[in-house]
């Protein structure tokens, strides 16, 4: 039989989370953000649950082409736009909308020969300081784009750096929103401002014709631990699970794993789980990281190794060889271990855990009912 680890992708959870984005921003259309292979869930698997979106947003042409092959005929937005001039030919062939965030991309459009003008999203750097035109340069970029016959409609976008902040103020989105609105208030075109955090926390303060449902589509919480998934009514779209493949009995003073980083201070039972950092489980998760064993909470002990990790079975006398271990996601008997809790224990974020699942982990889809 194959090694027992697997990732299960829950299409019903994806559809539910997408509906939550719609409910939060009832007057807006929704981009389902599927960059990074749908946050590690797989484009084809995620498509099953997210096809009710108004459009898909991503980075890679190969992923856009895959969506077209899956049958998607609606809008697809390239969030970083073209990377070189000839990419515009692919945009035309695949009917892609694309971001414009620098003068070089406008130069390419000006030289591009096309029968169909392009729909572009002009991006403002309102304070994130990654991509986009500064507020002082934004209107000139808009004017130049608007004069090009290669450009049809110009939409306007920006990205918030602190939409998950604790309050709507200078440490949140207010300063970026003010910068955006001051420059764009009299410009035509649809707006796309809200990411997951802004959609959940700052609607209706922010006018977005398109919201970008990224991490929330997959059941991750952008403002964890202030709020958890239950607060926002989000469901985990990925379950990483495996089984116990061995059991050891420890005496006080026995150590566990490489570096002997865990020492038993009492008699213990531990289970060895077929999951390690070569599967994408973080090596830096310390003793005490939560897991579910047959749906009941336990903890890891010792250091995560390449192919295995160890869990405490001392308070779970019925657990043993073959018991199901939920590393995150939906466990048996209605149990749930949210990915954000595991990520916090490991000093990271749920986004990274989703994206880190490696190719050797089989993925299976729980289809819509």
């Amino acid at each position: 039989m194959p090694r027992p680890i697997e990732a299960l992708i829950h299409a019903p959870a994806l559809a539910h989370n997408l509906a939550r984005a719609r409910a939060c921003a009832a007057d807006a259309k929704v981009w389902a953000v599927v960059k990074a292979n749908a946050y590690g869930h797989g484009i084809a698997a995620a498509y099953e649950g997210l096809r009710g979106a108004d459009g898909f947003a991503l980075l890679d042409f190969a992923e856009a082409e895959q969506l077209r092959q899956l049958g998607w005929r609606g809008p697809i937005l390239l969030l970083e736009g073209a990377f070189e001039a000839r990419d515009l030919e692919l945009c035309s062939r695949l009917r892609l909308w694309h971001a414009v965030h620098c003068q070089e991309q406008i130069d390419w459009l000006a030289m591009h020969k096309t029968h169909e003008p392009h729909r572009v999203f002009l991006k403002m750097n309102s304070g994130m300081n990654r991509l986009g035109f500064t507020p002082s340069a934004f209107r000139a970029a808009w004017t130049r784009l608007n004069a090009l016959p290669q450009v049809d409609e110009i939409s306007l976008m920006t990205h918030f750096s602190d939409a998950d902040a604790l309050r709507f103020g200078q440490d949140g989105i207010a300063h970026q929103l003010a910068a955006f609105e001051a420059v764009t208030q009299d410009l035509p075109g649809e707006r796309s401002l809200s990411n997951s955090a802004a959609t959940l926390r700052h609607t209706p303060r922010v006018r977005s014709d398109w919201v970008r449902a990224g991490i929330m589509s997959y059941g991750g919480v952008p403002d964890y631990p202030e709020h958890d998934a239950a607060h926002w009514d989000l469901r985990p779209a990925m379950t990483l699970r495996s089984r116990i493949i061995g059991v050891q009995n420890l005496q006080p003073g026995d150590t566990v794993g490489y570096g002997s980083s865990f020492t038993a201070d009492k008699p213990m039972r531990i289970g060895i789980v077929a999951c390690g950092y070569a599967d994408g489980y973080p090596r830096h998760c310390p003793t005490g990281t939560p897991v579910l064993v047959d749906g009941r909470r336990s903890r890891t002990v010792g250091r995560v190794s390449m192919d295995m990790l160890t869990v405490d079975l001392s308070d779970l006398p019925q657990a043993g060889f073959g018991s199901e271990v939920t590393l995150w996601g939906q466990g048996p008997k209605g149990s749930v271990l949210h990915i954000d809790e595991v990520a916090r224990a490991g000093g990271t974020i749920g986004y990274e855990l989703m994206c880190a699942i490696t190719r050797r982990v089989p993925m299976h889809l729980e289809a819509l009912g």
Side-chain angles (χ1 to χ4, degrees):
M1 65 174 289
R3 189 163 170 263
I5 191 169
E6 67 172 351
L8 184 61
I9 308 303
H10 307 286
L14 290 163
H16 170 86
N17 297 336
L18 182 67
R20 289 288 300 126
R22 287 202 183 283
C24 289
D27 296 328
K29 290 171 280 190
V30 179
W31 292 113
V33 182
V34 292
K35 62 181 180 176
N37 197 24
Y39 286 53
H41 293 65
I43 291 283
Y47 182 69
E48 175 76 8
L50 298 177
R51 62 197 306 171
D54 299 291
F56 287 89
L58 40 67
L59 303 183
D60 298 329
F61 285 98
E63 293 178 342
E65 193 156 19
Q66 186 178 3
L67 279 171
R68 292 298 188 213
Q69 291 170 351
L70 287 167
W72 180 251
R73 296 292 178 261
I76 298 176
L77 174 63
L78 289 174
L79 290 167
E80 293 178 358
F83 299 105
E84 59 182 0
R86 63 180 180 178
D87 288 345
L88 295 175
E89 297 173 10
L90 276 172
C91 289
S92 294
R93 180 169 66 82
L94 295 172
R95 307 182 312 282
L96 306 182
W97 301 357
H98 51 99
V100 172
H101 60 76
C102 62
Q103 291 290 352
E104 289 81 358
Q105 291 175 327
I106 301 179
D107 293 340
W108 298 338
L109 275 165
M111 297 183 294
H112 180 53
K113 296 179 180 179
T114 180
H115 297 293
E116 295 291 337
H118 289 234
R119 171 78 176 267
V120 299
F121 278 65
L122 183 61
K123 186 164 189 176
M124 180 187 291
N125 171 16
S126 59
M128 181 79 166
N129 288 314
R130 294 192 314 191
L131 301 179
F133 293 90
T134 61
S136 62
F138 190 82
R139 290 187 75 94
W142 185 91
T143 299
R144 190 178 173 209
L145 276 175
N146 193 49
L148 294 179
Q150 294 90 340
V151 174
D152 180 13
E153 186 173 344
I154 304 173
S155 298
L156 313 175
M157 69 185 299
T158 194
H159 190 69
F160 296 125
S161 59
D162 297 293
D164 57 348
L166 299 184
R167 64 185 178 87
F168 183 79
Q170 289 302 314
D171 59 344
I173 67 170
H175 63 296
Q176 287 188 254
L177 184 60
F180 183 86
E181 290 182 337
V183 174
T184 66
Q185 59 181 335
D186 61 341
L187 292 178
E190 292 185 325
R191 271 74 167 154
S192 179
L193 286 82
S194 293
N195 56 5
S196 289
T199 299
L200 291 169
R201 296 177 63 97
H202 299 307
T203 301
R205 293 185 179 100
V206 181
R207 178 201 156 194
S208 266
D209 299 294
W210 288 86
V211 298
R212 304 187 297 273
I215 191 66
M216 70 177 297
S217 297
Y218 306 97
V221 180
D223 60 352
Y224 186 86
E226 182 189 359
H227 296 117
D228 60 14
H231 175 86
W232 294 120
D233 187 19
L234 299 174
R235 298 176 185 172
M238 174 193 288
T239 294
L240 180 65
R241 64 188 183 188
S242 188
R243 294 192 177 275
I244 292 174
I245 60 172
V247 176
Q248 299 290 340
N249 293 290
L250 306 183
Q251 297 302 315
D254 287 346
T255 62
V256 177
Y258 288 118
S260 299
S261 62
F262 176 82
T263 302
D265 60 1
K266 60 184 179 182
M268 294 180 63
R269 288 177 70 239
I270 59 171
I272 316 306
V273 183
C275 178
Y277 60 77
D279 302 298
Y281 193 90
R283 182 181 180 275
H284 48 269
C285 279
T287 291
T289 299
V291 296
L292 302 177
V293 180
D294 290 335
R296 296 182 60 188
R297 288 180 70 94
S298 185
R299 59 171 183 152
T300 63
V301 293
R303 189 176 293 174
V304 176
S305 57
M306 181 181 290
D307 309 305
M308 290 173 277
L309 57 81
T310 308
V311 297
D312 189 354
L313 302 180
S314 300
D315 296 327
L316 303 173
Q318 303 304 314
F321 185 89
S323 288
E324 181 175 327
V325 177
T326 306
L327 289 312
W328 59 71
Q330 302 182 28
K333 304 173 184 176
S335 59
V336 176
L337 176 59
H338 287 288
I339 196 169
D340 299 299
E341 186 178 356
V342 179
R344 183 170 173 81
T348 185
I349 55 177
Y351 307 64
E352 183 179 16
L353 300 193
M354 294 175 186
C355 295
I357 297 298
T358 63
R359 288 190 299 173
R360 78 174 187 174
V361 177
M363 281 198 173
H364 301 109
L365 174 66
E366 178 194 4
L368 292 168

